[in-house]
Amino acid sequence: MKRIGDKFEFRDEGELKKTLGIRVGSDNEGNYWISQEDYLTRLAQKYDITPTKRAKTPMITGSKLDEYVEHEKVDQKAYRSIIGAAMYAAVATRPDICYTLSRLASYSQDPRTIHYIAAVRLLQYLVNTKDKRITFKAASKPELKAYVDASWKTCCLEEQQAKGRCYVQWRGCVL
């Protein structure tokens, strides 16, 4: 810190507790964690989402989001607002919703009721699991691990490939 202080003027505010809506904490074993519980609580209030027993996963298995032609259009601005709010959570502390969010975001140009319902369900899932956090375990040796998975046909109408990857360091997902 002294070397930085030689070049830049700054003051030590102590241990980091919160930044950009992300709570940071530690335990007695030297582990650190990050959480967005406060952000997700505010999100629930903004979109009038209450915890529900139904939303235990980010998306219903077997959802036919690509079969939407007969569904009514919904307000694009409202839909994009939900997607953007969920995206901040996904990028910061909730990699578990990335696949669902990616699928839903692909319909931002022409959202229909089926997509809006799925987006609200995603918010319900986030509210139900707002206490989840990423924990970085104290380790003597930093070790980076990568996990990858792919599905060669995930959409019925569009033969697209879905890929997922997760990078883990100190036993916590970093990307």
Side-chain angles (χ1 to χ4, degrees), residues 17 52 73 87 99 105 110 125 153 165 170:
K17 298 286 183 197
T52 174
K73 291 184 176 194
M87 195 169 294
Y99 175 76
D110 187 24
Y125 169 76
K153 185 178 179 195
R165 42 184 170 262
W170 295 294

Side-chain angles (χ1 to χ4, degrees), residues 27-38:
D27 61 23
N28 295 338
E29 297 172 10
N31 302 320
Y32 284 88
W33 54 264
I34 54 175
S35 166
Q36 284 184 296
E37 189 170 350
D38 298 340

Side-chain angles (χ1 to χ4, degrees), residues 48-63:
D48 197 28
I49 303 291
T50 55
T52 174
K53 292 180 181 176
R54 295 181 304 156
K56 294 182 180 178
T57 58
M59 184 167 60
I60 296 173
T61 305
S63 293

Side-chain angles (χ1 to χ4, degrees), residues 60-173:
I60 296 173
T61 305
S63 293
K64 306 272 188 217
L65 296 176
D66 50 351
E67 298 174 6
Y68 62 87
V69 178
E70 68 279 355
H71 293 273
E72 289 184 35
K73 291 184 176 194
V74 295
D75 180 25
Q76 190 180 58
K77 185 176 179 182
Y79 182 76
R80 287 180 174 181
S81 176
I82 291 173
I83 297 303
M87 195 169 294
Y88 180 62
V91 168
T93 62
R94 297 302 299 265
D96 57 325
I97 66 167
C98 286
Y99 175 76
T100 301
L101 192 55
S102 171
R103 290 284 312 274
L104 293 174
S106 69
Y107 299 102
S108 293
Q109 192 62 30
D110 187 24
R112 305 294 177 112
T113 53
I114 190 171
H115 307 128
Y116 190 83
I117 290 167
V120 169
R121 179 197 166 80
L122 177 61
L123 291 182
Q124 286 173 330
Y125 169 76
L126 285 170
V127 169
N128 287 350
T129 59
K130 66 183 176 183
D131 60 333
K132 301 292 183 202
R133 56 189 179 190
I134 295 178
T135 301
F136 300 97
K137 300 282 187 178
S140 58
K141 177 175 95 171
E143 182 177 64
L144 181 65
K145 291 183 180 182
Y147 300 92
V148 180
D149 194 11
S151 171
W152 292 102
K153 185 178 179 195
T154 55
C155 300
C156 299
L157 298 177
E158 309 161 7
E159 293 194 20
Q160 294 181 344
Q161 175 189 10
K163 298 180 271 189
R165 42 184 170 262
C166 175
Y167 299 96
V168 177
Q169 187 157 21
W170 295 294
R171 297 185 191 153
C173 184

